[in-house]
């Protein structure tokens, strides 16, 4: 039986990847290793937690000794590495947390994999999940391609770029078989309500301000999270070892436009007068070093592996809003406790 270690599986994207693999590959044992930070929530996996081919491991990737033991104990054949600190604003207020998990944690995992696999490296795989933010910021034109030079500009993207470099260095130095994929902004169920879309959904429900950084004209490319999970599955099973794949939605939006679209959907879903939610929009001080535009050219994964996004954006956004409205308890749970304190410190304006 194959044994895949997925890290960060209790988080937003990881929970969709774990679910997809557990359900699609009943003959493969899936181990989900997660520290359960503020962003990790086992409620995200309730529907599959009893599956015979699923096992949760509560651990921190910064704990190198524990990782070595786990590789010996469970004999993983491959790793899909999603565990990370993922929010740019938090990386500005606490960069070292990002160095610890994203850089040191990734190197710990690489060391554990190389040590455990050294006699049979050809049959192993280390798949590292990364972001388009490593490429920096675009002007009005152009796209990020797989060979675009790295130019990270936030502590978050610098930590992810560093981890990408380590993964490639381990391929070159120790012949570790790897994949890296760099994806654009994800949206969908289970996203922690500190990121733009779930934050706004939560705030509309509570009649709180919708904070728009700067003028709201920064651009992001948005992809439904299940389409990202499908791309990861495809790369894992059919990608060419050693390759990098960019994943994106072919779907660029200015922040202010996406928030207005979301407001219109929320008004309809909550049976409010049109324009009610938009009145909550509040322009606030810009994020320090705010990247202007991200845009992915995903033609490589499209032409080589036949992947493309399955959902139209408005359809995906409606599904997302429906999920949050139907899962108020989930929102209540994650917005209480330590997150709440952080939220008040950041956005009391
Ligand atoms: P998330 O913050 O929702 O989840 C991260 C998960 O990692 C959580 O379950 C958390 O508990 C776990 N974790 C954090 N530190 C850990 C540690 N030290 N040890 C073990 N587990 C730890 O993040 P996400 O949005 O799901 O992102 C997942 C991955 O995808 C990250 O590597 C991120 O850089 C990448 N990514 C995210 C996006 C996006 O739009 N969210 C886009 C491209 C790439
Ligand atoms: P975010 O969801 O934090 O993702 P990322 O910074 O990784 O792209 O932010 C998406 C965009 O929305 C980004 O340009 C910053 C902006 N933004 C706001 O305008 N207000 C907010 O409250 C947040 C969280 C983000």
């Amino acid at each position: 039986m194959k044994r895949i270690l997925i890290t960060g599986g209790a988080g937003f994207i990881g929970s969709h990847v774990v679910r997809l693999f557990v359900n699609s590959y009943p003959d493969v044992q899936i181990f989900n290793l997660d520290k359960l930070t503020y962003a990790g929530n086992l409620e995200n996996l309730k529907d599959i937690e009893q599956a015979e081919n699923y096992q949760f491991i509560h651990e921190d990737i910064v704990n190198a000794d524990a990782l070595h033991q786990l590789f010996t104990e469970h004999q993983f054949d491959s790793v899909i590495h999603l565990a990370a600190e993922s929010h740019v604003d938090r990386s500005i207020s606490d960069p070292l947390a990002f160095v610890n998990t994203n850089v040191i944690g990734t190197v710990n995992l690489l060391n554990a994999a190389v040590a455990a696999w050294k006699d049979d490296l050809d049959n192993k795989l280390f798949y590292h999940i990364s972001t388009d933010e490593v490429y920096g910021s675009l002007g009005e034109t152009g796209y990020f391609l797989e060979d675009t030079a790295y130019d990270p500009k936030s502590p978050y993207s610098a930590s992810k770029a560093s981890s990408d470099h380590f993964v490639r260095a381990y391929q070159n130095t120790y012949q570790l078989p790897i994949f890296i994929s760099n994806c654009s902004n994800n949206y969908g169920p289970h996203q922690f309500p500190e990121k733009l879309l779930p934050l706004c959904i939560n705030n509309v429900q509570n009649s709180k301000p919708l904070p728009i950084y700067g003028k709201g004209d920064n651009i992001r490319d948005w992809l439904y999270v299940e389409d990202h999970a499908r791309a990861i599955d495809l790369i894992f099973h059919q990608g060419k070892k050693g390759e990098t794949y960019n994943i994106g939605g072919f779907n660029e939006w200015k922040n202010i436009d996406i928030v207005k679209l979301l407001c219109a959907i929320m008004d309809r879903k909550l049976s409010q007068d049109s324009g009610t939610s938009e009145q909550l929009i509040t322009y606030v001080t810009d994020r320090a070093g705010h990247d202007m535009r991200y845009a992915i050219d995903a033609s490589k994964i499209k032409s080589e592996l036949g992947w493309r996004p399955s959902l139209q954006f408005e359809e995906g956004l409606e599904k997302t809003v429906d999920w949050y409205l139907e899962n108020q308890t989930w929102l209540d749970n994650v917005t209480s406790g330590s997150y709440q304190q952080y939220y008040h410190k950041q956005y009391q304006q």
Side-chain angles (χ1 to χ4, degrees):
M1 200 181 200
K2 287 255 174 222
R3 304 160 81 78
I4 305 176
L5 171 66
I6 299 180
T7 69
F12 167 46
I13 302 170
S15 61
H16 293 275
V17 175
V18 166
R19 174 173 299 94
L20 181 64
F21 274 70
V22 166
N23 288 335
S24 308
Y25 306 106
D27 294 338
V28 175
Q29 189 67 29
I30 305 298
F31 297 85
N32 167 21
L33 183 153
D34 200 294
K35 180 185 176 184
L36 300 180
T37 67
Y38 76 96
N41 185 350
L42 288 176
E43 255 182 273
N44 295 344
L45 294 164
K46 256 206 153 75
D47 55 323
I48 56 110
E49 68 187 3
Q50 301 298 338
E52 277 184 19
N53 64 332
Y54 171 73
Q55 188 175 328
F56 177 66
I57 301 170
H58 188 199
E59 195 46 82
D60 184 341
I61 56 169
V62 173
N63 186 345
D65 290 343
L67 294 183
H68 281 285
Q69 276 172 25
L70 287 165
F71 270 77
T72 306
E73 184 183 343
H74 295 296
Q75 302 283 309
F76 309 122
D77 307 292
S78 43
V79 173
I80 305 178
H81 175 37
L82 295 107
E85 288 291 341
S86 68
H87 189 41
V88 173
D89 293 326
R90 286 179 190 254
S91 82
I92 294 168
S93 49
D94 185 10
L96 271 178
F98 287 67
V99 175
N100 282 329
T101 287
N102 299 1
V103 184
I104 296 173
T106 300
V107 176
N108 284 341
L109 259 184
L110 287 164
N111 283 340
V114 166
W117 296 346
K118 58 181 185 312
D119 297 327
D120 186 26
L121 274 167
D122 283 352
N123 295 312
K124 309 295 190 219
L125 175 67
F126 192 102
Y127 182 177
H128 178 60
I129 306 301
S130 193
T131 165
D132 60 354
E133 305 191 24
V134 298
Y135 299 121
S137 178
L138 291 164
E140 280 175 18
T141 57
Y143 294 91
F144 297 135
L145 283 152
E146 283 79 1
D147 59 1
T148 299
Y150 274 35
D151 187 19
K153 291 178 182 297
S154 73
Y156 165 65
S157 54
S159 70
K160 291 296 292 187
S162 172
S163 62
D164 291 11
H165 287 321
F166 271 105
V167 174
R168 290 199 179 93
Y170 273 59
Q171 175 185 38
N172 182 63
T173 309
Y174 307 106
Q175 289 74 54
L176 178 69
I178 64 155
F179 287 129
I180 297 179
S181 56
N182 298 79
C183 189
S184 62
N185 286 58
N186 285 215
Y187 70 97
H190 305 164
Q191 189 169 31
F192 197 81
E194 63 186 351
K195 305 273 168 59
L196 180 67
L197 294 177
L199 176 84
C200 289
I201 293 172
N202 191 33
N203 285 12
V204 166
Q205 284 181 272
N206 294 293
S207 302
K208 285 187 181 164
L210 309 181
I212 301 289
Y213 298 164
K215 295 190 182 125
D217 50 10
N218 302 67
I219 292 173
R220 299 290 182 265
D221 167 45
W222 295 90
L223 178 69
Y224 192 66
V225 62
E226 287 180 2
D227 280 330
H228 186 189
R230 269 196 315 109
I232 291 171
D233 182 12
L234 205 58
I235 291 167
F236 182 89
H237 286 101
Q238 293 175 35
K240 201 167 144 227
K241 291 253 177 89
E243 293 283 308
T244 294
Y245 295 89
N246 280 356
I247 307 168
F250 305 95
N251 179 40
E252 290 180 51
W253 285 81
K254 275 189 185 169
N255 291 341
I256 187 62
D257 294 337
I258 207 171
V259 171
K260 284 184 176 170
L261 172 64
L262 180 69
C263 285
I265 295 175
M266 292 294 286
D267 284 346
R268 186 155 42 77
K269 300 274 180 195
L270 297 172
S271 307
Q272 297 177 157
D273 289 343
S274 129
T276 308
S277 301
E278 253 194 60
Q279 286 172 12
L280 296 169
I281 289 177
T282 309
Y283 290 90
V284 299
T285 312
D286 208 353
R287 172 185 281 171
H290 195 173
D291 287 342
M292 181 46 79
R293 174 171 167 257
Y294 304 144
I296 280 270
D297 181 338
S299 41
K300 175 175 171 181
I301 184 171
K302 195 173 164 192
S303 64
E304 290 186 13
L305 301 180
W307 175 89
R308 65 185 65 222
S310 69
L311 282 185
Q312 292 294 321
F313 181 58
E314 295 203 14
E315 195 188 343
L317 201 50
E318 291 239 2
K319 269 179 85 150
T320 305
V321 169
D322 286 340
W323 186 85
Y324 280 94
L325 293 179
E326 285 159 16
N327 289 277
Q328 190 60 52
T329 323
W330 184 95
L331 260 180
D332 292 344
N333 287 347
V334 300
T335 51
S336 58
S338 57
Y339 167 69
Q340 195 67 7
Q341 288 156 22
Y342 173 83
Y343 176 86
H344 282 303
K345 211 167 69 200
Q346 293 292 310
Y347 299 120
Q348 237 170 19
Q349 35 188 325

